[in-house]
Amino acid sequence: MENKIKGAWIMHHGRKIQATTNQDFDGISYAGKCGALLSAISGANQEQITNKQLDALARANNISPKAELPVIIKELERQRLILPGAGAIEVLGLSSSEVLNKTATIFDESEHDSYEDAVVTLSERSSDSPISDTLAIELISDLHHIPKTEALSTLQLGSNIGFFDSEQISSTEKLIFNGNLFRREDARKASTILNALSAQEAESLREVNEKLDSHGCLTLASVKKILTEPVFARLHSIGLFDVSMVGNESGKNYFVTKPAAFSKFTNTIADDALDLAKAFVASLTYGMTVSSYYRGRIQAISLLMEKLINGGTVGPATAIGNDYQALELKGVVKVIPSGGLFKMKLLKPEVGRLALEVIRSGNITEGAVEQLPGAKVTKYVSPEETREVTRKNSTEAVKIKTRNLLNDIRTGGLS
């Protein structure tokens, strides 16, 4: 398994663990948090980050500044990825691919149990093709030298946490699979729903697919208007569409993309590794379709993105201070206050390239993708999560705590 793929699985599993009270996968949890912080603080160029900014970025990534951050910083220093200083740290310039590689290295070099290696192995194996629980137990037992009783417990616990998915296919057998693969390959479920579409519903689906192929991303409201709410709900349930949410002081805004727009070029963990690019696409689509002209509505997306990708700064505009908070909290962009307005600089050019390619062509298959972003963003709801929650049009103001975090990240606590 490639190191960057392994690192992506560790970060994926680390996020799953954070949603539980489980303590059995401490090695994965530790390495995953190291990777999450490294992704948040690193960019294409070497950057200096104040201690105040560092604490804010840690909180934004569910890392305790007092209990966990000092240990993580010590590890990143040991890996020679940061240089400590008085009141600040110097972070080496790293691509997202390098962040994933370093995450895998941290996991390998830290103390952990063999069953933690086993769940990573099984996650990748079940992404190639679904595997029965009997074969899965045999695989990880032989490869990682763990008793079959422990392998069974590992399989059950990993499935409960969400490292991989399982489905009962007979009274004595379960199927272990990757969620992305399930959406593409579970012919029985998908076929039943698609075959039940009326001629008019099938035509509406064709229209939506053509629009997504052309534009890359559409508002959820526009898709539902074409398909109707019930039909969209059925198609969403089998993974035919991905729904992402971005939020700001005006409320929540939902956007639809096709899974294939992000996953054609890779055979594993595309949903998780590309969440940053998905968030950027959703934010850009918000800027082009929802935001008003007077707030700084995006007019020339290609010119704007090319300037950001080439290291330039865009703005000033009011909208920049609101629309990109999710990306800001993950270190994808840097928002700079400017006389009551805001300017923005892109810290992870590869994320911008992926986002622009999706906007331009509807997918990134034609792009030369070698560097995958590897962390989820705060205040961005990913497609995996939106499949599990009821979508509402309620307005939710930005919390004071979030405002304070953003202020610390933008100013380093100097204002």
Side-chain angles (χ1 to χ4, degrees), residues 2 26 46 49 130 136 151 209 218 255 269 298 300 309 344 355 385:
E2 288 184 58
D26 195 50
Q46 188 161 330
I49 297 177
N209 280 329
L218 299 171
F255 299 92
I269 205 162
I298 298 173
I309 291 167
M344 182 170 71
E385 294 172 89

Side-chain angles (χ1 to χ4, degrees), residues 157-170:
L157 189 55
S159 179
N160 289 339
I161 293 174
F163 294 158
F164 31 76
D165 301 289
S166 67
E167 183 177 82
Q168 195 82 36
I169 55 175
S170 74

Side-chain angles (χ1 to χ4, degrees), residues 228-361:
T228 74
E229 175 91 40
V231 173
F232 176 81
R234 297 204 302 273
L235 297 175
H236 186 216
S237 72
I238 61 172
L240 208 60
F241 302 115
D242 280 345
V243 177
S244 304
M245 185 276 282
V246 290
N248 57 37
E249 289 175 334
S250 299
K252 299 174 181 178
N253 295 272
Y254 294 89
F255 299 92
V256 176
T257 52
K258 293 173 69 173
F262 292 89
S263 60
K264 283 182 181 178
F265 67 92
T266 187
N267 58 8
T268 183
I269 205 162
D271 275 353
D272 294 293
L274 291 171
D275 268 346
L276 292 180
K278 290 184 179 184
F280 211 164
V281 169
S283 294
L284 290 171
T285 304
Y286 178 88
M288 292 187 292
T289 61
V290 181
S291 186
S292 72
Y293 176 81
Y294 296 103
R295 293 178 65 247
R297 187 167 182 169
I298 298 173
Q299 300 294 309
I301 184 63
S302 293
L303 293 177
L304 179 143
M305 287 302 300
E306 285 171 0
K307 184 175 181 179
L308 285 172
I309 291 167
N310 291 329
T313 301
V314 298
T318 304
I320 289 174
N322 291 326
D323 295 356
Y324 303 94
Q325 293 176 4
L327 297 164
E328 186 182 359
L329 287 169
K330 274 298 182 182
V332 178
V333 300
K334 182 177 184 179
V335 174
I336 308 157
S338 177
L341 303 176
F342 299 91
K343 295 181 179 180
M344 182 170 71
K345 183 176 183 179
L346 184 61
L347 299 179
K348 297 184 186 298
E350 68 272 24
V351 176
R353 293 189 191 99
L354 294 175
L356 179 57
E357 190 65 29
V358 170
I359 292 290
R360 280 175 167 171
S361 64

Side-chain angles (χ1 to χ4, degrees), residues 2 13 31 53 89 91 107-108 117 154 165 193 197 200 230 243 265 275 297 325 360 369 377 386:
E2 288 184 58
H13 292 356
Q53 290 171 314
I89 61 169
V91 185
F107 175 72
D108 289 338
D117 291 300
T154 299
D165 301 289
I193 292 177
L197 293 177
Q200 183 177 349
V243 177
F265 67 92
D275 268 346
R297 187 167 182 169
Q325 293 176 4
R360 280 175 167 171
V369 181
V377 283
T386 60

Side-chain angles (χ1 to χ4, degrees), residues 8-67:
W9 279 123
I10 290 167
M11 292 182 70
H12 170 272
H13 292 356
R15 291 193 294 272
K16 294 290 186 181
I17 293 168
Q18 283 188 352
T20 74
T21 57
N22 182 274
Q23 300 293 321
D24 294 310
F25 298 93
D26 195 50
I28 290 177
S29 178
Y30 169 68
K33 286 187 176 182
C34 287
L37 184 70
L38 183 60
S39 178
I41 65 177
S42 63
N45 302 310
Q46 188 161 330
E47 295 279 342
Q48 188 174 78
I49 297 177
T50 69
N51 289 343
K52 192 78 172 178
Q53 290 171 314
L54 185 61
D55 284 356
L57 287 167
R59 288 192 184 95
N61 287 277
N62 299 313
I63 295 169
S64 168
K66 291 184 178 179

